Amino acid sequence: SQTIHQWPATLVQPVGSPLSLECTVEGTSNPNLYWYRQAAGRGLQLLFYSVGIGQISSEVPQNLSASRPQDRQFILSSKKLLLSDSGFYLCAWSVLAGTDTQYFGPGTRLTVL
Amino acid sequence: SQQGEEDPQALSIQEGENATMNCSYKTSINNLQWYRQNSGRGLVHLILIRSNEREKHSGRLRVTLDTSKKSSSLLITASRAADTASYFCATYTGGGNKLTFGTGTQLKVEL
């Protein structure tokens, strides 16, 4: 069966520090991968998606970047965190793009102080 | 406003009662999905209903879709305290990879 992992589960970082969140998927090949951010009490905002290694699409201009160095690894990064980067970050995968069910990881709670 | 908007924003019921949540959307869709999120956790897929379907069941869940009104409803029958969570509808927009979520309905089921 397929599983998706995210780490760390929680993170507290000072403003201006770098960020690296990792997501890995097991049990499937060539998944579509997604990064979302969820503000408190709100819906999800799609940040990035990837249909293959090295292929990243950005949905909104921001202080973050994403990379996919391996087929089942998706990394969310920042060189300098802002207060507004605080939130709940969720990684997800799907088999197909555009119509398919997405499967979510447990999320990372990021607090920027 | 967002592609998917849930109504009501919050719902509190007693265990054993039915809970109904509604979702409205704006553009044409291939399918509409419902997800559940327990507090501080990831989302869990509940059910997917295709644009050519009008009703779908899964256990205690019943989803309806009215494409003429661009709306969907999620009914949870005989609710349990464990159903306490936020529920989101989601649709793919513009034929792309973007799954757009509404702001969700927070359901609280009290004993």
Side-chain angles (χ1 to χ4, degrees):
Chain A
S1 62
Q2 300 88 4
T3 56
I4 178 169
H5 303 278
Q6 282 187 250
W7 64 90
T10 60
L11 190 60
V12 180
Q13 292 285 94
V15 170
S17 64
L19 173 74
S20 181
L21 303 181
E22 189 164 343
C23 170
T24 59
V25 180
E26 297 177 355
T28 187
S29 296
N30 197 31
N32 293 287
L33 296 171
Y34 310 85
W35 277 113
Y36 291 89
R37 176 169 59 203
Q38 184 178 32
R42 302 291 296 276
L44 278 69
Q45 178 187 34
L46 179 63
L47 301 176
F48 301 95
Y49 68 88
S50 172
V51 298
I53 295 175
Q55 300 179 62
I56 310 294
S57 296
S58 174
E59 281 297 305
V60 293
Q62 58 208 312
N63 186 41
L64 302 168
S65 62
S67 62
R68 184 170 177 174
Q70 300 181 43
D71 181 45
R72 290 169 288 179
Q73 184 184 32
F74 206 21
I75 297 173
L76 184 69
S77 304
S78 173
K79 293 182 179 178
K80 289 185 177 182
L81 284 168
L82 305 172
L83 287 174
S84 58
D85 292 323
S86 293
F88 192 48
Y89 288 83
L90 289 156
C91 180
W93 72 274
S94 68
V95 174
L96 301 173
T99 61
D100 202 16
T101 296
Q102 292 188 11
Y103 301 93
F104 285 80
T108 294
R109 175 77 58 192
L110 172 66
T111 303
V112 182
L113 301 175
Chain B
S1 57
Q2 297 191 47
Q3 164 72 344
E5 293 190 1
E6 291 87 348
D7 167 55
Q9 291 187 340
L11 180 61
S12 183
I13 60 174
Q14 297 294 312
E15 197 171 48
E17 295 180 338
N18 296 340
T20 300
M21 289 158 268
N22 302 297
C23 168
S24 61
Y25 59 92
K26 294 185 175 180
T27 62
S28 62
I29 59 172
N30 291 320
N31 63 59
L32 185 142
Q33 305 178 36
W34 284 92
Y35 290 80
R36 183 187 72 214
Q37 183 181 35
N38 289 82
S39 180
R41 308 290 292 274
L43 276 73
V44 175
H45 178 257
L46 295 176
I47 197 164
L48 180 154
I49 185 165
R50 304 190 189 286
S51 59
N52 61 353
E53 297 177 307
R54 292 297 169 259
E55 188 171 311
K56 198 163 184 179
H57 297 255
S58 177
R60 294 184 295 112
L61 305 180
R62 172 178 169 253
V63 170
T64 61
L65 179 64
D66 187 336
T67 54
S68 66
K69 295 181 180 179
K70 292 186 169 57
S71 67
S72 173
S73 67
L74 170 67
L75 168 67
I76 304 174
T77 60
S79 63
R80 306 167 181 169
D83 295 327
T84 295
S86 292
Y87 292 81
F88 297 89
C89 66
T91 58
Y92 280 99
T93 56
N97 292 313
K98 184 175 182 177
L99 186 61
T100 300
F101 290 82
T103 53
T105 293
Q106 294 186 19
L107 173 65
K108 183 176 182 180
V109 181
E110 300 186 74
L111 296 171

mmCIF file of all heavy atoms in Angstrom, chain A residues 36 44 46 102, chain B residues 2-4 6 33 89-93 97-102:
data_model
loop_
_atom_site.group_PDB
_atom_site.id
_atom_site.type_symbol
_atom_site.label_atom_id
_atom_site.label_comp_id
_atom_site.label_asym_id
_atom_site.label_seq_id
_atom_site.Cartn_x
_atom_site.Cartn_y
_atom_site.Cartn_z
ATOM 1 N N TYR A 36 0.697 22.182 -0.192
ATOM 2 C CA TYR A 36 -0.358 23.116 0.174
ATOM 3 C C TYR A 36 0.025 23.821 1.467
ATOM 4 O O TYR A 36 0.769 23.294 2.293
ATOM 5 C CB TYR A 36 -1.675 22.371 0.437
ATOM 6 C CG TYR A 36 -2.339 21.756 -0.768
ATOM 7 C CD1 TYR A 36 -2.030 20.466 -1.169
ATOM 8 C CD2 TYR A 36 -3.302 22.452 -1.488
ATOM 9 C CE1 TYR A 36 -2.655 19.879 -2.254
ATOM 10 C CE2 TYR A 36 -3.944 21.883 -2.576
ATOM 11 C CZ TYR A 36 -3.613 20.595 -2.953
ATOM 12 O OH TYR A 36 -4.241 20.026 -4.032
ATOM 13 N N LEU A 44 -7.334 25.131 2.010
ATOM 14 C CA LEU A 44 -5.976 24.882 1.549
ATOM 15 C C LEU A 44 -5.648 25.728 0.332
ATOM 16 O O LEU A 44 -6.471 25.887 -0.565
ATOM 17 C CB LEU A 44 -5.816 23.410 1.178
ATOM 18 C CG LEU A 44 -5.540 22.441 2.313
ATOM 19 C CD1 LEU A 44 -6.736 22.296 3.218
ATOM 20 C CD2 LEU A 44 -5.116 21.096 1.771
ATOM 21 N N LEU A 46 -2.991 25.843 -2.777
ATOM 22 C CA LEU A 46 -1.958 25.108 -3.495
ATOM 23 C C LEU A 46 -0.757 26.009 -3.739
ATOM 24 O O LEU A 46 -0.897 27.113 -4.273
ATOM 25 C CB LEU A 46 -2.513 24.600 -4.828
ATOM 26 C CG LEU A 46 -1.537 23.828 -5.708
ATOM 27 C CD1 LEU A 46 -1.089 22.544 -5.020
ATOM 28 C CD2 LEU A 46 -2.156 23.526 -7.068
ATOM 29 N N GLN A 102 -6.583 12.970 -4.239
ATOM 30 C CA GLN A 102 -5.273 13.270 -3.680
ATOM 31 C C GLN A 102 -5.188 12.675 -2.268
ATOM 32 O O GLN A 102 -6.158 12.678 -1.522
ATOM 33 C CB GLN A 102 -5.018 14.775 -3.645
ATOM 34 C CG GLN A 102 -4.886 15.352 -5.055
ATOM 35 C CD GLN A 102 -4.449 16.799 -5.079
ATOM 36 O OE1 GLN A 102 -4.043 17.361 -4.060
ATOM 37 N NE2 GLN A 102 -4.513 17.421 -6.251
ATOM 38 N N GLN B 2 -14.363 31.737 -3.370
ATOM 39 C CA GLN B 2 -13.626 30.581 -3.841
ATOM 40 C C GLN B 2 -14.488 29.703 -4.737
ATOM 41 O O GLN B 2 -15.706 29.765 -4.727
ATOM 42 C CB GLN B 2 -13.136 29.789 -2.638
ATOM 43 C CG GLN B 2 -12.172 30.590 -1.785
ATOM 44 C CD GLN B 2 -11.486 29.720 -0.759
ATOM 45 O OE1 GLN B 2 -11.004 28.640 -1.078
ATOM 46 N NE2 GLN B 2 -11.427 30.169 0.474
ATOM 47 N N GLN B 3 -13.822 28.826 -5.483
ATOM 48 C CA GLN B 3 -14.510 27.884 -6.349
ATOM 49 C C GLN B 3 -15.442 27.011 -5.532
ATOM 50 O O GLN B 3 -16.572 26.746 -5.936
ATOM 51 C CB GLN B 3 -13.480 27.020 -7.092
ATOM 52 C CG GLN B 3 -14.015 25.767 -7.723
ATOM 53 C CD GLN B 3 -14.863 26.005 -8.950
ATOM 54 O OE1 GLN B 3 -15.309 27.119 -9.186
ATOM 55 N NE2 GLN B 3 -15.106 24.973 -9.723
ATOM 56 N N GLY B 4 -14.971 26.542 -4.367
ATOM 57 C CA GLY B 4 -15.817 25.714 -3.523
ATOM 58 C C GLY B 4 -16.092 26.432 -2.226
ATOM 59 O O GLY B 4 -15.178 26.849 -1.531
ATOM 60 N N GLU B 6 -18.331 26.044 1.323
ATOM 61 C CA GLU B 6 -19.172 25.178 2.127
ATOM 62 C C GLU B 6 -20.116 26.002 2.994
ATOM 63 O O GLU B 6 -19.815 27.119 3.408
ATOM 64 C CB GLU B 6 -18.323 24.262 3.028
ATOM 65 C CG GLU B 6 -17.546 23.192 2.284
ATOM 66 C CD GLU B 6 -16.213 23.702 1.809
ATOM 67 O OE1 GLU B 6 -15.974 24.919 1.843
ATOM 68 O OE2 GLU B 6 -15.386 22.862 1.398
ATOM 69 N N GLN B 33 -15.061 16.315 -4.986
ATOM 70 C CA GLN B 33 -14.578 15.428 -3.939
ATOM 71 C C GLN B 33 -14.865 16.038 -2.569
ATOM 72 O O GLN B 33 -14.872 17.261 -2.419
ATOM 73 C CB GLN B 33 -13.074 15.205 -4.094
ATOM 74 C CG GLN B 33 -12.683 14.681 -5.467
ATOM 75 C CD GLN B 33 -11.194 14.506 -5.632
ATOM 76 O OE1 GLN B 33 -10.492 14.134 -4.697
ATOM 77 N NE2 GLN B 33 -10.700 14.753 -6.844
ATOM 78 N N CYS B 89 -15.124 20.462 0.518
ATOM 79 C CA CYS B 89 -15.344 19.993 -0.837
ATOM 80 C C CYS B 89 -14.202 20.535 -1.701
ATOM 81 O O CYS B 89 -13.562 21.527 -1.350
ATOM 82 C CB CYS B 89 -16.689 20.440 -1.384
ATOM 83 S SG CYS B 89 -16.876 22.220 -1.625
ATOM 84 N N ALA B 90 -13.944 19.863 -2.806
ATOM 85 C CA ALA B 90 -12.835 20.260 -3.667
ATOM 86 C C ALA B 90 -13.141 19.894 -5.104
ATOM 87 O O ALA B 90 -13.739 18.853 -5.379
ATOM 88 C CB ALA B 90 -11.533 19.589 -3.224
ATOM 89 N N THR B 91 -12.720 20.754 -6.000
ATOM 90 C CA THR B 91 -12.914 20.506 -7.429
ATOM 91 C C THR B 91 -11.658 20.894 -8.185
ATOM 92 O O THR B 91 -10.914 21.787 -7.760
ATOM 93 C CB THR B 91 -14.082 21.335 -7.988
ATOM 94 O OG1 THR B 91 -13.823 22.727 -7.761
ATOM 95 C CG2 THR B 91 -15.399 20.966 -7.341
ATOM 96 N N TYR B 92 -11.428 20.226 -9.297
ATOM 97 C CA TYR B 92 -10.356 20.625 -10.191
ATOM 98 C C TYR B 92 -10.907 21.713 -11.104
ATOM 99 O O TYR B 92 -12.007 21.591 -11.632
ATOM 100 C CB TYR B 92 -9.883 19.439 -11.032
ATOM 101 C CG TYR B 92 -8.946 18.523 -10.305
ATOM 102 C CD1 TYR B 92 -9.404 17.344 -9.737
ATOM 103 C CD2 TYR B 92 -7.596 18.821 -10.182
ATOM 104 C CE1 TYR B 92 -8.551 16.486 -9.061
ATOM 105 C CE2 TYR B 92 -6.730 17.974 -9.515
ATOM 106 C CZ TYR B 92 -7.216 16.815 -8.951
ATOM 107 O OH TYR B 92 -6.368 15.975 -8.284
ATOM 108 N N THR B 93 -10.122 22.732 -11.300
ATOM 109 C CA THR B 93 -10.580 23.855 -12.106
ATOM 110 C C THR B 93 -9.748 23.997 -13.371
ATOM 111 O O THR B 93 -8.542 23.714 -13.372
ATOM 112 C CB THR B 93 -10.491 25.169 -11.309
ATOM 113 O OG1 THR B 93 -9.153 25.355 -10.846
ATOM 114 C CG2 THR B 93 -11.418 25.128 -10.110
ATOM 115 N N ASN B 97 -4.091 21.035 -12.963
ATOM 116 C CA ASN B 97 -3.775 20.201 -11.817
ATOM 117 C C ASN B 97 -4.217 20.800 -10.498
ATOM 118 O O ASN B 97 -3.962 20.223 -9.454
ATOM 119 C CB ASN B 97 -2.268 19.964 -11.759
ATOM 120 C CG ASN B 97 -1.800 19.115 -12.907
ATOM 121 O OD1 ASN B 97 -2.390 18.100 -13.210
ATOM 122 N ND2 ASN B 97 -0.748 19.543 -13.571
ATOM 123 N N LYS B 98 -4.876 21.918 -10.537
ATOM 124 C CA LYS B 98 -5.199 22.630 -9.311
ATOM 125 C C LYS B 98 -6.498 22.122 -8.712
ATOM 126 O O LYS B 98 -7.570 22.298 -9.292
ATOM 127 C CB LYS B 98 -5.301 24.129 -9.589
ATOM 128 C CG LYS B 98 -5.530 24.962 -8.344
ATOM 129 C CD LYS B 98 -5.488 26.444 -8.685
ATOM 130 C CE LYS B 98 -5.673 27.294 -7.437
ATOM 131 N NZ LYS B 98 -5.561 28.748 -7.751
ATOM 132 N N LEU B 99 -6.388 21.482 -7.548
ATOM 133 C CA LEU B 99 -7.553 21.050 -6.791
ATOM 134 C C LEU B 99 -7.882 22.167 -5.829
ATOM 135 O O LEU B 99 -7.104 22.454 -4.915
ATOM 136 C CB LEU B 99 -7.252 19.736 -6.062
ATOM 137 C CG LEU B 99 -8.420 19.063 -5.339
ATOM 138 C CD1 LEU B 99 -9.535 18.699 -6.304
ATOM 139 C CD2 LEU B 99 -7.935 17.827 -4.591
ATOM 140 N N THR B 100 -9.024 22.813 -6.021
ATOM 141 C CA THR B 100 -9.389 23.981 -5.233
ATOM 142 C C THR B 100 -10.326 23.563 -4.112
ATOM 143 O O THR B 100 -11.362 22.941 -4.359
ATOM 144 C CB THR B 100 -10.066 25.031 -6.113
ATOM 145 O OG1 THR B 100 -9.169 25.416 -7.146
ATOM 146 C CG2 THR B 100 -10.431 26.259 -5.287
ATOM 147 N N PHE B 101 -9.938 23.932 -2.891
ATOM 148 C CA PHE B 101 -10.717 23.600 -1.704
ATOM 149 C C PHE B 101 -11.501 24.810 -1.214
ATOM 150 O O PHE B 101 -11.049 25.943 -1.319
ATOM 151 C CB PHE B 101 -9.791 23.146 -0.572
ATOM 152 C CG PHE B 101 -9.152 21.812 -0.802
ATOM 153 C CD1 PHE B 101 -8.024 21.693 -1.593
ATOM 154 C CD2 PHE B 101 -9.680 20.669 -0.220
ATOM 155 C CE1 PHE B 101 -7.433 20.456 -1.816
ATOM 156 C CE2 PHE B 101 -9.097 19.433 -0.432
ATOM 157 C CZ PHE B 101 -7.976 19.326 -1.230
ATOM 158 N N GLY B 102 -12.660 24.540 -0.655
ATOM 159 C CA GLY B 102 -13.394 25.575 0.041
ATOM 160 C C GLY B 102 -12.825 25.782 1.423
ATOM 161 O O GLY B 102 -11.822 25.162 1.808
#
